[in-house]
Amino acid sequence: MKTIKVGNKTLKVKLAMTPKQQKQGLMNVQGMGPTKLPEDEGMLFVYRREEILSFWMKNTTLPLSIAFIDKKGNITEIRDMEPMGMESVRSTKPAQYALEVNQGWFSKNNIKVGDKAKLDLFRIRVAIQPKVYTEE
């Protein structure tokens, strides 16, 4: 797991960087209770570029909140998502990252739109850059 800072709160996150990881997300994950993730843990979805992102809760039994984050680390939107929901939750602005946590985590920690998520962006960006092959 990777550690990031959201506002003034530290959070451990699992990274979803590949299309397969992003499609799977937190589906079929059993949390504590079984309806919660461990406190101060979540999943960070990392995309190659900013775009309109869309999520749903198919086969996800955990009530979650999601923050859409732009390429500069600014939280642009926070939404709640209901377990097993089939309706898409779309960002209203292009985002490069999405952070899923237990529902209510953002409000409980006084984190709101406009706050910063401090990610180790260089290492994440390096990991998702397409490989360049030289001609022989």
Side-chain angles (χ1 to χ4, degrees):
M1 291 192 113
K2 183 157 187 57
T3 301
I4 64 172
K5 198 152 177 106
V6 182
N8 62 359
K9 191 74 175 166
T10 300
L11 187 67
K12 289 182 183 176
V13 294
K14 183 174 181 183
L15 296 178
M17 297 175 62
T18 67
K20 183 178 179 181
Q21 292 168 334
Q22 291 164 347
K23 183 178 178 182
Q24 178 67 34
L26 291 170
M27 274 198 281
N28 302 311
V29 172
Q30 293 297 315
M32 296 170 52
T35 58
K36 286 183 80 171
L37 293 171
E39 191 64 27
D40 298 329
E41 287 190 15
M43 179 170 273
L44 180 66
F45 295 78
V46 180
Y47 295 88
R48 291 186 183 277
R49 66 187 77 68
E50 286 186 316
E51 58 188 276
I52 298 296
L53 301 178
S54 184
F55 289 77
W56 66 342
M57 296 285 286
K58 180 181 179 183
N59 298 325
T60 306
T61 60
L62 309 171
L64 300 172
S65 291
I66 188 167
F68 295 106
I69 303 167
D70 69 15
K71 66 183 176 185
K72 295 181 179 176
N74 298 308
I75 296 175
T76 59
E77 188 174 354
I78 297 172
R79 307 265 304 272
D80 287 338
M81 302 189 299
E82 296 305 318
M84 307 300 282
M86 297 297 282
E87 192 171 312
S88 290
V89 174
R90 292 174 53 96
S91 62
T92 57
K93 298 175 184 173
Q96 189 166 356
Y97 309 95
L99 176 61
E100 289 182 342
V101 292
N102 285 319
Q103 194 171 92
W105 185 89
F106 295 107
S107 58
K108 176 182 172 187
N109 290 287
N110 200 30
I111 293 167
K112 50 199 167 309
V113 170
D115 285 350
K116 278 265 198 203
K118 293 178 183 82
L119 315 168
D120 188 350
L121 297 178
F122 177 74
R123 285 188 185 168
I124 290 173
R125 281 195 189 120
V126 167
I128 63 172
Q129 292 302 314
K131 187 165 185 171
V132 177
Y133 296 93
T134 56
E135 290 187 33
E136 295 179 20

